[in-house]
């Protein structure tokens, strides 16, 4: 999408890498916080998290 918007390939790649790192670290912190706060096993948060991610991915791909 960076090229389609007139930006360079490198700016798109760097932006994507930064977004991936931020999402990974932020998601990890949120998951650990929920597990500790709710005092449930990690799997109880991991499975719904994955289902939501898959569902949102499918919605985005089908819309755009």
């Amino acid at each position: 999408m960076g090229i389609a918007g007139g930006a360079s390939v490198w700016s798109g790649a760097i932006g994507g890498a930064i977004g991936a790192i931020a999402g990974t670290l932020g998601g990890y912190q949120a998951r650990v916080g929920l597990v500790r706060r709710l005092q449930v096993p990690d799997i109880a948060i991991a499975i719904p998290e994955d289902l939501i991610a898959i569902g949102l991915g499918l919605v985005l791909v089908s819309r755009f």
Side-chain angles (χ1 to χ4, degrees):
M1 291 196 47
I3 295 172
S8 73
V9 173
W10 288 108
S11 65
I14 291 169
I18 290 170
I21 292 168
T24 299
L25 296 176
Y28 173 77
Q29 291 299 322
R31 188 162 154 183
V32 168
L34 280 172
V35 167
R36 287 182 182 159
R37 188 175 307 121
L38 299 176
Q39 296 180 347
V40 295
D42 185 65
I43 192 93
I45 302 298
I47 291 175
E49 176 190 16
D50 290 344
L51 292 174
I52 290 169
I54 292 167
L56 287 173
L58 291 173
V59 168
L60 289 173
V61 169
S62 68
R63 302 281 176 162
F64 300 103

